[in-house]
Amino acid sequence: MSETKYIFVTGGVTSSLGKGIIAASLAKLLQARGYRTTIQKLDPYINVDPGTLNPYEHGECYVTDDGAETDLDLGHYERFLNVRTSQANNVTTGRIYQSVIEKERRGEFLGKTVQVVPHITNEIKERIQILGKSGDYDIVITEIGGTVGDIESLPYIEAVRQLIWELGDNNGIVIHLTLVPYLAAAGELKTKPTQHSVKTLMESGIKADILVCRTEHDISEEKREKLALFCNVKKEAVIQSIDASTIYDVPLLMQEQGLDTVALKKLALADNTEPDLENWKGFLQRHKNPKNEVTIGLIGKYVELQDSYKSILEAFIHAGAANEVKVNVRFIHSEYLKPNNVDKKLMGLDGLLVAPGFGERGIEGKIKAVQFARENKVPFLGICLGMQMAVIEFARNVLGLENANSIEMDSDTPHPVINLMEEQKSVVDKGGTMRLGAWECVLTPGSLASTVYNGAERIMERHRHRFEFNNAYKEELENEGMLATGFNTKTNLVEIVEIPDHPWFVGVQYHPEYKSTVANPHPLFVGFVKAVLNKKVEQSNASLA
């Protein structure tokens, strides 16, 4: 008998229903009852990881402490649970096939014909159980990407069928998330799409134990009974997931619906404690009842798809709640920022964040945004590429280094203030070869960065980049007022730059947004939002004087 219990979350009818949020919400409820819980994501695409995917294709690429480039849903998992994820929490079809083919090449299958069943499905089952067999978790929730019936999802569904059978009774259950659409012409909710979705799942040999029904309107008792009858589940296992004003409401809505209670009952686990959600409710109270409001411009290249900056947006929510401030984010496409319109587009913003990215498109607009923030004393935060743009802008407009640039954008620049790391110069493959994962950063005592991190001497932050601050220009930059205040001692690479002669100007080479959670808002975002608010209050008081 398995010691670890497994919950599988599948989706039907349509994509983007929020399997990740439902999985994270259930995990939060189970964790709040004292169960050690984690979540993993199985993605059916053939990419080995999302690292080479354009953000327009798949949203942001989320990075874990151990350097895994993963699906953005892992960000939700960490933000809800405040538990670090790893390589084991995200599995793709590409990685599965890569592993099986490597084993075949090594002769591990002893001359057998390698097939989807059993070799691919066995590999999937092994990956699913890595976390469970670690001894660190009581419950592992596995979210299966895509929609039931998709060709690419079939091996995962078959692997789940086999694993539930192997685990035995009460050790593995399936939650099926479906859509119950409202037809305005008929004036009612329709259950037929859910019935068909459950039927498709059953054709693969899997019975849904719990139905979570996404809906825009309340599901009546009559509709619940109909869904229970025709989908072969208990009535209490038909869970309504109605549209919420914020994703952080969903755990409480799922608790009201009894999702955690039903799941524990089906897993034969004790249900004798109430979830401790006081801190969560306190966060929601501050988030929904702000005392002030600020507007921050997010300067980026992928602003048409907000999921490209998902972790940044959530970090602003966490930091806003910590400061009891509503943070309005205004998206500004850097490609359309020009010298003749930058003042018009950025005037009136309380703060500016220049976002991460790759490639030369929209770079000059980001540089103009940095210049605007520096010259107009607007609180500024630059992340990864945003930090590099701050260095380039300062080199050009303060040091007078004409055409200073990153060699990523201009390999012939006369002043490569951002350079390629030496070990990167021979790299050919693009996937998984950047500077990735958590790296140590030593902070300069007395610096703004040190203050933001509450006087810490050393921090660990996550990276995802290939190009670095060029130390050959460090002394020249510092002499003119841009200080390097964070370093990696192992590589001697600059991690943080700041301008003391400014209300709040910080650029970081790493991605602080990846580590911000509801329980622990990232100090850099908390400090930035506080500085933005202080600047706004100061300006407001000055105008009244």
Side-chain angles (χ1 to χ4, degrees), residues 30 42 62 288 317 378 398 406 422 432 462 470 504 521 537:
L30 297 173
L42 306 183
Y62 187 79
K288 292 186 173 184
I317 290 175
V378 177
V398 179
S406 164
E422 195 61 38
R462 299 179 193 178
N470 188 343
W504 209 94
V537 170

Side-chain angles (χ1 to χ4, degrees), residues 53-66:
L53 285 173
N54 189 307
Y56 286 132
E57 288 280 328
H58 205 69
E60 77 171 6
C61 176
Y62 187 79
V63 177
T64 60
D65 278 346
D66 65 351

Side-chain angles (χ1 to χ4, degrees), residues 394-438:
F394 199 86
R396 288 182 184 180
N397 299 318
V398 179
L399 271 62
L401 301 179
E402 190 175 350
N403 296 322
N405 215 325
S406 164
I407 66 166
E408 179 186 8
M409 320 307 167
D410 180 5
S411 58
D412 297 321
T413 174
H415 300 291
V417 292
I418 304 298
N419 209 345
L420 187 63
M421 290 183 287
E422 195 61 38
E423 61 268 29
Q424 288 286 335
K425 291 181 179 177
S426 60
V427 170
V428 177
D429 293 342
K430 297 300 182 187
T433 57
M434 289 186 281
R435 185 180 176 205
L436 294 164

Side-chain angles (χ1 to χ4, degrees), residues 30 48 51 90 128 145 185 190-191 197 220 260 274 278 298 314 324 330 360 385 440 454 475 520 528:
L30 297 173
V48 173
N90 194 199
I128 290 172
K190 288 298 187 180
T191 65
S197 183
S220 67
D260 53 331
E274 278 293 309
E278 289 310 305
L298 189 154
E314 299 307 314
E324 296 185 280
R330 184 186 300 172
E360 63 179 319
L385 184 67
E440 184 181 72
N454 299 313
E475 183 177 354
N520 287 303
F528 178 47

